[in-house]
Amino acid sequence: MSSQHSDCDAPAPQLMPVGEALERLLAEVTLPVATEEVSISDALGRVLAEDQLSTVDVPPADNSAMDGYALKIADLAAGGRLNVSQRIPAGTAPLPLKSGSAARIFTGSEIPLGADAVVMQENATAGESDGQQWVEVTEVPSVGNNIRRQGQDIRTGQVVIPAGMRLQAHHVGVLASVGVSQVRVYRRLKVAVLATGDELVMPGNPLEPGQIYNSNLYTIRGLLQGLGCEVVDSAVVEDTLEGTKAALRQASEQADCIITSGGVSVGEEDHVKAAVEAQGELRLWKLAIKPGKPMAFGYVNGKPLLGLPGNPAAVLVTFNILARPFLLRSMGAGNVAANGFSVEVGFSRPKAISRQEYLRVQLQDGRAVLGASQSSGVLSSSVMAAGYLVVPPNQVVEEGGRLMFIPFSEVMN
């Protein structure tokens, strides 16, 4: 039963540290070469294949940062009142500023030639006499006040987004701000997902004695879709060596990468390791991580395989911490690190373990507190959790101490 193996801690000096495993995984990546051009409307989550340069200045001309009045400060020396000679709504080209006058101006409007400052409307009093509008300045500005200079944000020829960036909403907004409508991105990574275990039943079907619903297939599929991968196959593999070999062989013909769950431990019904070695090679197996010790990496017919454990919480942890960076780098992404920050620990655990542990925790008033069971078979503990508290190997957890926290928002998309 591939999804039922325990993840208990036992001294095992041969286990590979998490940091070393991640370095070795990233060193195995073959960078993508196939690219395609897509609309920026469809570019969210895609990885840029080439630097994006601006062909315009942003803003394209000096403009106002406030609603108010554009004027030349020297004109205020003759008195605080100036006639209003023009009105400049956003999107219209201004006339040169008439000497000794002010221009009514609005946020984003182009500054008229001859003006050197904008007075906020809160610092001015407007009126009208004999059909002529005027303004009195109550607080004299300095040269350049409330003016956004041409090219202040972006200059023509500047790299606005470098190659290797995985595009998020703000990146797309910047591309739009310089007039880019199409971008060249790397082709989507095709990933096959296989779950092993005769006990697995797909949701919607009745459970027979000894069976469990297959959550791993859906967890992995959802995580892959969040990364922008193309899931080309997802199936349950029978617990036989020949069945596992056949499924892996078919997956290697269809996908750029294969992800399995279960079958990588040492039980009699665990066939993934043997099936991989029969059709390729295993490069990495058994890590000093909890949960997720049985994780494996290798190749089947030249295609990389990430062998995740069978326990649902271990699947989540090993995908987030190890598989995700590998997949992102394989998609052409430059920065694949998950950013974390130090938090105060709101519980204690006097017993240290020999593996690096990823505890699913909640944050309460900025302190990390344990939620539900931390068993590797309990996926529900992730539902109310905010992220992972990282406990280094052989370290006692002390209440009031500080440890690294990785938010789920960093590893779930």
Side-chain angles (χ1 to χ4, degrees):
M1 298 298 182
S2 58
S3 60
Q4 303 298 314
H5 298 300
S6 66
D7 202 49
C8 61
D9 186 70
Q14 75 275 15
L15 298 183
M16 184 180 296
V18 175
E20 180 183 344
L22 182 56
E23 287 182 7
R24 289 183 56 173
L25 279 173
L26 295 179
E28 294 282 348
V29 170
T30 300
L31 295 177
V33 293
T35 64
E36 60 183 344
E37 196 168 84
V38 299
S39 163
I40 61 171
S41 299
D42 301 318
L44 200 65
R46 305 298 295 272
V47 178
L48 273 182
E50 57 189 20
D51 291 346
Q52 291 296 304
L53 279 64
S54 178
T55 58
V56 298
D57 287 340
V58 180
D62 291 357
N63 70 45
S64 179
M66 297 285 178
D67 289 353
Y69 297 87
L71 49 78
K72 187 173 183 178
I73 294 175
D75 289 338
L76 292 174
R81 178 178 289 193
L82 299 173
N83 288 334
V84 177
S85 58
Q86 63 176 307
R87 185 175 185 273
I88 312 172
T92 61
L95 298 171
L97 184 66
K98 185 178 178 181
S99 180
S101 74
R104 179 69 167 126
I105 199 165
F106 301 90
T107 303
S109 298
E110 186 174 332
I111 301 295
L113 183 67
D116 59 12
V118 172
V119 177
M120 292 190 297
Q121 61 187 20
E122 294 88 341
N123 296 332
T125 301
E128 185 176 337
S129 300
D130 300 326
Q132 173 64 57
Q133 293 183 340
W134 51 263
V135 62
E136 285 187 351
V137 176
T138 57
E139 186 175 315
V140 178
S142 301
V143 172
N145 274 184
N146 302 315
I147 294 178
R148 301 181 184 127
R149 295 300 183 187
Q150 178 177 346
Q152 175 180 306
D153 183 9
I154 299 169
R155 289 285 186 184
T156 300
Q158 177 182 335
V159 175
V160 288
I161 304 180
M165 183 69 71
R166 185 165 170 252
L167 297 175
Q168 303 300 321
H170 56 294
H171 300 125
V172 175
V174 169
L175 291 172
S177 77
V178 297
V180 172
S181 63
Q182 300 279 123
V183 289
R184 183 155 293 280
V185 296
Y186 289 111
R187 181 179 62 79
R188 292 186 188 276
L189 196 68
K190 295 181 180 180
V191 184
V193 185
L194 306 176
T196 66
D198 289 340
E199 75 276 22
L200 299 177
V201 176
M202 300 300 282
N205 297 308
L207 287 178
E208 300 294 336
Q211 294 181 330
I212 59 173
Y213 284 120
N214 186 354
S215 64
N216 289 344
L217 212 56
Y218 290 88
T219 298
I220 297 170
R221 188 183 185 91
L223 290 166
L224 289 170
Q225 289 172 338
L227 287 181
C229 297
E230 179 184 346
V231 182
V232 296
D233 187 29
S234 55
V236 176
V237 181
E238 65 180 55
D239 271 339
T240 67
L241 179 58
E242 289 306 313
T244 305
K245 287 166 62 176
L248 290 177
R249 183 168 55 252
Q250 181 177 351
S252 71
E253 295 167 354
Q254 297 176 325
D256 302 311
C257 180
I258 306 165
I259 296 183
T260 63
S261 68
V264 291
S265 194
V266 292
E268 293 181 7
E269 300 299 320
D270 292 311
H271 301 293
V272 171
K273 179 176 180 291
V276 170
E277 291 174 327
Q279 302 177 103
E281 59 178 326
L282 208 61
R283 293 281 184 89
L284 182 153
W285 183 48
K286 289 190 176 182
L287 311 182
I289 186 172
K290 183 176 183 179
K293 180 175 68 173
M295 182 176 173
F297 174 80
Y299 293 90
V300 175
N301 297 325
K303 298 295 179 65
L305 174 139
L306 294 156
L308 308 186
N311 280 310
V315 164
L316 192 67
V317 169
T318 51
F319 187 101
N320 289 160
I321 304 303
L322 295 162
R324 181 179 183 274
F326 177 86
L327 294 168
L328 284 175
R329 184 61 56 80
S330 300
M331 294 161 60
N335 181 19
V336 299
N339 296 314
F341 53 90
S342 173
V343 297
E344 183 180 342
V345 180
F347 63 94
S348 61
R349 193 183 62 188
K351 181 183 177 183
I353 67 170
S354 62
R355 288 179 280 161
Q356 182 152 296
E357 190 168 14
Y358 292 81
L359 299 172
R360 286 87 73 197
V361 298
Q362 302 172 17
L363 291 184
Q364 295 181 1
D365 298 323
R367 305 177 84 213
V369 297
L370 286 175
S373 168
Q374 296 296 311
S375 167
S376 60
V378 179
L379 184 61
S380 61
S381 61
S382 64
V383 173
M384 298 305 294
Y388 298 118
L389 188 70
V390 184
V391 184
N394 305 309
Q395 181 165 323
V396 171
V397 179
E398 297 180 346
E399 185 171 359
R402 302 191 71 85
L403 289 172
M404 182 62 65
F405 172 77
I406 301 174
F408 280 160
S409 59
E410 281 290 310
V411 291
M412 293 291 195
N413 56 50

